Short mmCIF file of all heavy atoms in Angstrom, two decimals:
data_model
loop_
_atom_site.label_atom_id
_atom_site.label_comp_id
_atom_site.label_asym_id
_atom_site.label_seq_id
_atom_site.Cartn_x
_atom_site.Cartn_y
_atom_site.Cartn_z
N PRO A 1 -140.08 98.17 85.97
CA PRO A 1 -141.25 98.63 85.19
C PRO A 1 -141.32 100.14 85.05
O PRO A 1 -142.01 100.63 84.16
CB PRO A 1 -142.43 98.08 85.99
CG PRO A 1 -141.92 97.94 87.40
CD PRO A 1 -140.49 97.54 87.25
N ASP A 2 -140.64 100.89 85.94
CA ASP A 2 -140.70 102.34 85.82
C ASP A 2 -139.80 102.86 84.71
O ASP A 2 -139.91 104.01 84.32
CB ASP A 2 -140.31 103.01 87.15
CG ASP A 2 -138.93 102.58 87.64
OD1 ASP A 2 -138.47 101.49 87.24
OD2 ASP A 2 -138.32 103.34 88.42
N ARG A 3 -138.92 102.00 84.17
CA ARG A 3 -138.01 102.44 83.11
C ARG A 3 -138.04 101.53 81.88
O ARG A 3 -137.38 101.82 80.89
CB ARG A 3 -136.57 102.51 83.63
CG ARG A 3 -136.39 103.48 84.78
CD ARG A 3 -135.02 103.37 85.40
NE ARG A 3 -135.10 103.37 86.85
CZ ARG A 3 -134.11 103.02 87.64
NH1 ARG A 3 -132.97 102.63 87.13
NH2 ARG A 3 -134.26 103.03 88.95
N MET A 4 -138.74 100.41 81.96
CA MET A 4 -138.79 99.45 80.86
C MET A 4 -140.25 99.05 80.61
O MET A 4 -141.04 98.95 81.53
CB MET A 4 -138.00 98.18 81.21
CG MET A 4 -136.56 98.42 81.64
SD MET A 4 -135.51 98.81 80.23
CE MET A 4 -133.99 99.26 81.10
N VAL A 5 -140.58 98.82 79.33
CA VAL A 5 -141.91 98.31 78.99
C VAL A 5 -141.73 97.27 77.89
O VAL A 5 -141.03 97.51 76.91
CB VAL A 5 -142.86 99.44 78.54
CG1 VAL A 5 -142.31 100.21 77.36
CG2 VAL A 5 -144.23 98.88 78.20
N GLU A 6 -142.34 96.09 78.07
CA GLU A 6 -142.23 95.04 77.06
C GLU A 6 -143.26 95.29 75.96
O GLU A 6 -144.41 95.65 76.23
CB GLU A 6 -142.43 93.66 77.66
CG GLU A 6 -142.19 92.54 76.65
CD GLU A 6 -142.22 91.16 77.27
OE1 GLU A 6 -142.48 91.05 78.48
OE2 GLU A 6 -142.00 90.17 76.52
N VAL A 7 -142.83 95.11 74.71
CA VAL A 7 -143.74 95.23 73.58
C VAL A 7 -144.57 93.96 73.52
O VAL A 7 -144.05 92.88 73.23
CB VAL A 7 -142.96 95.43 72.26
CG1 VAL A 7 -143.92 95.52 71.08
CG2 VAL A 7 -142.10 96.67 72.34
N THR A 8 -145.85 94.09 73.79
CA THR A 8 -146.70 92.90 73.89
C THR A 8 -147.55 92.68 72.65
O THR A 8 -148.26 91.67 72.56
CB THR A 8 -147.64 93.05 75.10
OG1 THR A 8 -148.38 94.27 74.98
CG2 THR A 8 -146.83 93.08 76.39
N GLY A 9 -147.54 93.61 71.70
CA GLY A 9 -148.35 93.43 70.51
C GLY A 9 -147.92 94.36 69.41
O GLY A 9 -147.11 95.28 69.62
N PRO A 10 -148.44 94.20 68.20
CA PRO A 10 -147.99 94.99 67.05
C PRO A 10 -148.34 96.47 67.16
O PRO A 10 -147.73 97.28 66.48
CB PRO A 10 -148.73 94.33 65.87
CG PRO A 10 -149.91 93.64 66.49
CD PRO A 10 -149.44 93.19 67.84
N ASP A 11 -149.31 96.82 68.01
CA ASP A 11 -149.72 98.22 68.11
C ASP A 11 -149.09 98.94 69.30
O ASP A 11 -149.43 100.09 69.58
CB ASP A 11 -151.25 98.31 68.25
CG ASP A 11 -151.96 97.73 67.04
OD1 ASP A 11 -151.41 97.83 65.93
OD2 ASP A 11 -153.05 97.15 67.22
N GLU A 12 -148.16 98.28 69.99
CA GLU A 12 -147.60 98.84 71.22
C GLU A 12 -146.87 100.16 70.97
O GLU A 12 -147.04 101.14 71.69
CB GLU A 12 -146.63 97.85 71.86
CG GLU A 12 -146.05 98.29 73.19
CD GLU A 12 -147.03 98.11 74.33
OE1 GLU A 12 -148.07 97.46 74.11
OE2 GLU A 12 -146.77 98.61 75.42
N LEU A 13 -146.07 100.19 69.90
CA LEU A 13 -145.29 101.40 69.64
C LEU A 13 -146.19 102.57 69.24
O LEU A 13 -146.00 103.69 69.70
CB LEU A 13 -144.27 101.12 68.53
CG LEU A 13 -143.10 102.09 68.44
CD1 LEU A 13 -142.31 102.08 69.74
CD2 LEU A 13 -142.20 101.72 67.27
N GLU A 14 -147.19 102.29 68.43
CA GLU A 14 -148.11 103.35 68.03
C GLU A 14 -148.86 103.88 69.25
O GLU A 14 -149.15 105.07 69.36
CB GLU A 14 -149.09 102.83 66.99
CG GLU A 14 -149.94 103.92 66.35
CD GLU A 14 -149.12 104.97 65.63
OE1 GLU A 14 -148.02 104.65 65.12
OE2 GLU A 14 -149.56 106.13 65.58
N ARG A 15 -149.18 102.99 70.19
CA ARG A 15 -149.85 103.42 71.41
C ARG A 15 -148.99 104.40 72.19
O ARG A 15 -149.46 105.41 72.69
CB ARG A 15 -150.18 102.20 72.29
CG ARG A 15 -150.89 102.59 73.60
CD ARG A 15 -151.12 101.35 74.46
NE ARG A 15 -149.88 100.77 74.91
CZ ARG A 15 -149.13 101.26 75.91
NH1 ARG A 15 -149.51 102.34 76.54
NH2 ARG A 15 -148.01 100.66 76.27
N ILE A 16 -147.71 104.10 72.28
CA ILE A 16 -146.78 104.97 73.00
C ILE A 16 -146.69 106.33 72.32
O ILE A 16 -146.65 107.38 72.97
CB ILE A 16 -145.39 104.32 73.09
CG1 ILE A 16 -145.43 103.14 74.05
CG2 ILE A 16 -144.33 105.32 73.54
CD1 ILE A 16 -144.16 102.32 74.07
N LEU A 17 -146.69 106.32 70.97
CA LEU A 17 -146.53 107.57 70.24
C LEU A 17 -147.80 108.40 70.18
O LEU A 17 -147.77 109.56 69.81
CB LEU A 17 -146.05 107.27 68.81
CG LEU A 17 -144.62 106.77 68.70
CD1 LEU A 17 -144.32 106.36 67.28
CD2 LEU A 17 -143.64 107.83 69.16
N THR A 18 -148.94 107.82 70.52
CA THR A 18 -150.19 108.58 70.44
C THR A 18 -150.81 108.74 71.82
O THR A 18 -150.56 109.71 72.52
CB THR A 18 -151.17 107.89 69.48
OG1 THR A 18 -151.32 106.51 69.88
CG2 THR A 18 -150.65 107.93 68.06
N ALA A 19 -151.58 107.76 72.24
CA ALA A 19 -152.33 107.89 73.49
C ALA A 19 -151.45 108.04 74.70
O ALA A 19 -151.80 108.70 75.67
CB ALA A 19 -153.27 106.69 73.67
N ASP A 20 -150.28 107.42 74.68
CA ASP A 20 -149.44 107.42 75.87
C ASP A 20 -148.33 108.45 75.85
O ASP A 20 -147.53 108.51 76.77
CB ASP A 20 -148.81 106.04 76.06
CG ASP A 20 -149.45 105.30 77.22
OD1 ASP A 20 -150.53 105.72 77.65
OD2 ASP A 20 -148.86 104.31 77.69
N ILE A 21 -148.25 109.27 74.79
CA ILE A 21 -147.13 110.20 74.70
C ILE A 21 -147.13 111.19 75.87
O ILE A 21 -146.09 111.54 76.42
CB ILE A 21 -147.13 110.95 73.36
CG1 ILE A 21 -145.84 111.77 73.19
CG2 ILE A 21 -148.34 111.87 73.23
CD1 ILE A 21 -145.70 112.32 71.79
N ALA A 22 -148.33 111.62 76.29
CA ALA A 22 -148.41 112.55 77.41
C ALA A 22 -147.92 111.90 78.70
O ALA A 22 -147.29 112.55 79.53
CB ALA A 22 -149.84 113.04 77.58
N ARG A 23 -148.20 110.61 78.86
CA ARG A 23 -147.75 109.92 80.07
C ARG A 23 -146.22 109.90 80.15
O ARG A 23 -145.64 110.05 81.21
CB ARG A 23 -148.32 108.50 80.11
CG ARG A 23 -148.07 107.80 81.44
CD ARG A 23 -148.82 106.50 81.51
NE ARG A 23 -150.27 106.69 81.44
CZ ARG A 23 -151.00 107.05 82.49
NH1 ARG A 23 -150.46 107.26 83.66
NH2 ARG A 23 -152.30 107.22 82.37
N TRP A 24 -145.56 109.72 79.00
CA TRP A 24 -144.10 109.74 79.03
C TRP A 24 -143.57 111.12 79.36
O TRP A 24 -142.47 111.27 79.87
CB TRP A 24 -143.55 109.26 77.67
CG TRP A 24 -143.65 107.77 77.52
CD1 TRP A 24 -144.63 107.08 76.88
CD2 TRP A 24 -142.76 106.79 78.06
NE1 TRP A 24 -144.40 105.73 76.97
CE2 TRP A 24 -143.26 105.52 77.69
CE3 TRP A 24 -141.60 106.86 78.82
CZ2 TRP A 24 -142.63 104.34 78.05
CZ3 TRP A 24 -140.97 105.68 79.17
CH2 TRP A 24 -141.48 104.44 78.79
N ARG A 25 -144.38 112.15 79.08
CA ARG A 25 -143.92 113.50 79.39
C ARG A 25 -144.00 113.82 80.88
O ARG A 25 -143.47 114.84 81.31
CB ARG A 25 -144.74 114.52 78.59
CG ARG A 25 -144.32 114.55 77.12
CD ARG A 25 -145.13 115.54 76.33
NE ARG A 25 -144.65 115.59 74.96
CZ ARG A 25 -145.31 116.17 73.96
NH1 ARG A 25 -146.47 116.73 74.19
NH2 ARG A 25 -144.81 116.18 72.74
N VAL A 26 -144.69 112.99 81.64
CA VAL A 26 -144.64 113.15 83.09
C VAL A 26 -143.80 112.04 83.71
O VAL A 26 -143.86 111.81 84.91
CB VAL A 26 -146.06 113.16 83.73
CG1 VAL A 26 -146.83 114.38 83.26
CG2 VAL A 26 -146.84 111.89 83.42
N PHE A 27 -143.02 111.36 82.86
CA PHE A 27 -142.12 110.32 83.36
C PHE A 27 -141.02 110.95 84.21
O PHE A 27 -140.42 111.95 83.82
CB PHE A 27 -141.51 109.55 82.19
CG PHE A 27 -140.45 108.58 82.61
CD1 PHE A 27 -140.79 107.35 83.16
CD2 PHE A 27 -139.10 108.89 82.48
CE1 PHE A 27 -139.82 106.46 83.56
CE2 PHE A 27 -138.12 108.00 82.88
CZ PHE A 27 -138.48 106.78 83.41
N LEU A 28 -140.76 110.36 85.33
CA LEU A 28 -139.75 110.88 86.25
C LEU A 28 -138.45 110.12 86.05
O LEU A 28 -138.38 108.90 86.24
CB LEU A 28 -140.23 110.72 87.69
CG LEU A 28 -139.38 111.41 88.77
CD1 LEU A 28 -139.52 112.92 88.65
CD2 LEU A 28 -139.81 110.95 90.15
N HIS A 29 -137.42 110.84 85.66
CA HIS A 29 -136.11 110.21 85.49
C HIS A 29 -135.57 109.79 86.85
O HIS A 29 -135.78 110.47 87.86
CB HIS A 29 -135.14 111.19 84.83
CG HIS A 29 -133.87 110.56 84.35
ND1 HIS A 29 -132.82 110.30 85.18
CD2 HIS A 29 -133.51 110.09 83.13
CE1 HIS A 29 -131.84 109.74 84.49
NE2 HIS A 29 -132.24 109.59 83.26
N PRO A 30 -134.87 108.65 86.90
CA PRO A 30 -134.35 108.18 88.21
C PRO A 30 -133.51 109.21 88.95
O PRO A 30 -133.52 109.26 90.17
CB PRO A 30 -133.51 106.96 87.81
CG PRO A 30 -134.15 106.45 86.56
CD PRO A 30 -134.61 107.67 85.83
N ALA A 31 -132.79 110.05 88.20
CA ALA A 31 -131.96 111.06 88.86
C ALA A 31 -132.79 112.11 89.58
O ALA A 31 -132.31 112.80 90.47
CB ALA A 31 -131.06 111.74 87.83
N GLN A 32 -134.08 112.25 89.19
CA GLN A 32 -134.95 113.23 89.82
C GLN A 32 -135.77 112.63 90.96
O GLN A 32 -136.33 113.36 91.77
CB GLN A 32 -135.93 113.80 88.78
CG GLN A 32 -135.26 114.42 87.57
CD GLN A 32 -136.21 114.53 86.41
OE1 GLN A 32 -137.18 113.81 86.32
NE2 GLN A 32 -135.91 115.42 85.49
N ARG A 33 -135.85 111.31 91.00
CA ARG A 33 -136.77 110.64 91.91
C ARG A 33 -136.47 110.95 93.38
O ARG A 33 -137.38 111.07 94.20
CB ARG A 33 -136.71 109.13 91.67
CG ARG A 33 -137.76 108.37 92.45
CD ARG A 33 -137.76 106.89 92.12
NE ARG A 33 -138.80 106.21 92.84
CZ ARG A 33 -140.06 106.13 92.44
NH1 ARG A 33 -140.42 106.69 91.30
NH2 ARG A 33 -140.96 105.51 93.17
N ARG A 34 -135.20 111.11 93.70
CA ARG A 34 -134.84 111.30 95.11
C ARG A 34 -135.38 112.61 95.66
O ARG A 34 -135.55 112.75 96.87
CB ARG A 34 -133.32 111.25 95.27
CG ARG A 34 -132.55 112.31 94.51
CD ARG A 34 -131.05 112.05 94.65
NE ARG A 34 -130.25 113.01 93.91
CZ ARG A 34 -129.97 112.89 92.61
NH1 ARG A 34 -130.46 111.88 91.92
NH2 ARG A 34 -129.22 113.78 92.00
N TYR A 35 -135.64 113.59 94.78
CA TYR A 35 -136.23 114.85 95.23
C TYR A 35 -137.75 114.73 95.33
O TYR A 35 -138.35 115.14 96.32
CB TYR A 35 -135.87 115.99 94.27
CG TYR A 35 -134.40 116.09 93.96
CD1 TYR A 35 -133.93 115.99 92.65
CD2 TYR A 35 -133.47 116.26 94.98
CE1 TYR A 35 -132.58 116.08 92.36
CE2 TYR A 35 -132.12 116.35 94.70
CZ TYR A 35 -131.67 116.25 93.39
OH TYR A 35 -130.34 116.32 93.11
N ALA A 36 -138.36 114.16 94.30
CA ALA A 36 -139.82 114.05 94.27
C ALA A 36 -140.35 113.14 95.37
O ALA A 36 -141.40 113.40 95.95
CB ALA A 36 -140.27 113.56 92.91
N TYR A 37 -139.62 112.06 95.65
CA TYR A 37 -140.11 111.07 96.62
C TYR A 37 -139.24 111.01 97.88
O TYR A 37 -139.17 109.98 98.53
CB TYR A 37 -140.21 109.69 95.94
CG TYR A 37 -141.31 109.67 94.92
CD1 TYR A 37 -141.04 109.89 93.57
CD2 TYR A 37 -142.63 109.48 95.31
CE1 TYR A 37 -142.07 109.91 92.63
CE2 TYR A 37 -143.66 109.49 94.38
CZ TYR A 37 -143.37 109.70 93.04
OH TYR A 37 -144.39 109.73 92.12
N HIS A 38 -138.61 112.11 98.20
CA HIS A 38 -137.88 112.20 99.46
C HIS A 38 -138.88 111.94 100.60
O HIS A 38 -140.00 112.47 100.60
CB HIS A 38 -137.27 113.59 99.61
CG HIS A 38 -136.31 113.71 100.76
ND1 HIS A 38 -136.73 113.78 102.07
CD2 HIS A 38 -134.96 113.76 100.79
CE1 HIS A 38 -135.68 113.88 102.86
NE2 HIS A 38 -134.59 113.87 102.11
N PRO A 39 -138.51 111.12 101.57
CA PRO A 39 -139.48 110.74 102.61
C PRO A 39 -139.99 111.90 103.44
O PRO A 39 -141.09 111.83 104.01
CB PRO A 39 -138.70 109.74 103.47
CG PRO A 39 -137.26 110.01 103.18
CD PRO A 39 -137.21 110.46 101.75
N GLY A 40 -139.22 112.96 103.53
CA GLY A 40 -139.72 114.09 104.31
C GLY A 40 -138.64 115.13 104.56
O GLY A 40 -137.57 114.80 105.07
N PHE A 41 -138.88 116.38 104.16
CA PHE A 41 -137.95 117.47 104.41
C PHE A 41 -138.36 118.16 105.71
O PHE A 41 -139.54 118.37 105.98
CB PHE A 41 -137.98 118.49 103.27
CG PHE A 41 -137.46 117.96 101.96
CD1 PHE A 41 -138.32 117.56 100.95
CD2 PHE A 41 -136.10 117.88 101.72
CE1 PHE A 41 -137.86 117.10 99.74
CE2 PHE A 41 -135.61 117.41 100.51
CZ PHE A 41 -136.49 117.01 99.52
N PHE A 42 -137.38 118.52 106.52
CA PHE A 42 -137.66 119.18 107.79
C PHE A 42 -137.81 120.68 107.60
O PHE A 42 -137.13 121.49 108.22
CB PHE A 42 -136.55 118.87 108.79
CG PHE A 42 -136.44 117.41 109.12
CD1 PHE A 42 -135.36 116.66 108.67
CD2 PHE A 42 -137.42 116.77 109.86
CE1 PHE A 42 -135.27 115.31 108.96
CE2 PHE A 42 -137.34 115.43 110.15
CZ PHE A 42 -136.26 114.69 109.70
N GLY A 43 -138.71 121.06 106.69
CA GLY A 43 -138.92 122.46 106.40
C GLY A 43 -139.01 122.66 104.90
O GLY A 43 -139.08 121.71 104.12
N PRO A 44 -139.02 123.92 104.45
CA PRO A 44 -139.10 124.21 103.02
C PRO A 44 -137.91 123.61 102.26
O PRO A 44 -136.78 123.60 102.75
CB PRO A 44 -139.06 125.74 102.96
CG PRO A 44 -139.51 126.19 104.31
CD PRO A 44 -138.99 125.16 105.26
N ALA A 45 -138.18 123.12 101.04
CA ALA A 45 -137.13 122.54 100.19
C ALA A 45 -137.24 123.16 98.81
O ALA A 45 -138.29 123.64 98.39
CB ALA A 45 -137.28 121.03 100.12
N GLN A 46 -136.12 123.14 98.09
CA GLN A 46 -136.06 123.84 96.81
C GLN A 46 -135.25 123.02 95.80
O GLN A 46 -134.20 122.47 96.12
CB GLN A 46 -135.38 125.20 97.03
CG GLN A 46 -135.01 125.95 95.76
CD GLN A 46 -134.29 127.23 96.09
OE1 GLN A 46 -134.92 128.24 96.38
NE2 GLN A 46 -132.97 127.21 96.05
N VAL A 47 -135.76 122.93 94.57
CA VAL A 47 -135.05 122.29 93.46
C VAL A 47 -134.98 123.30 92.32
O VAL A 47 -136.01 123.82 91.88
CB VAL A 47 -135.77 121.02 92.99
CG1 VAL A 47 -135.08 120.44 91.75
CG2 VAL A 47 -135.79 119.97 94.10
#
């Protein structure tokens, strides 16, 4: 569900392009997830 969304109705695409466009802009790509959700750094960390 973090990378796929099923089209459930005729307005789904328009919803993505309007109300939900900002949400996609904070979408975290899987390649970045390991840094954002690292269980715990033993001190300062940098990306």
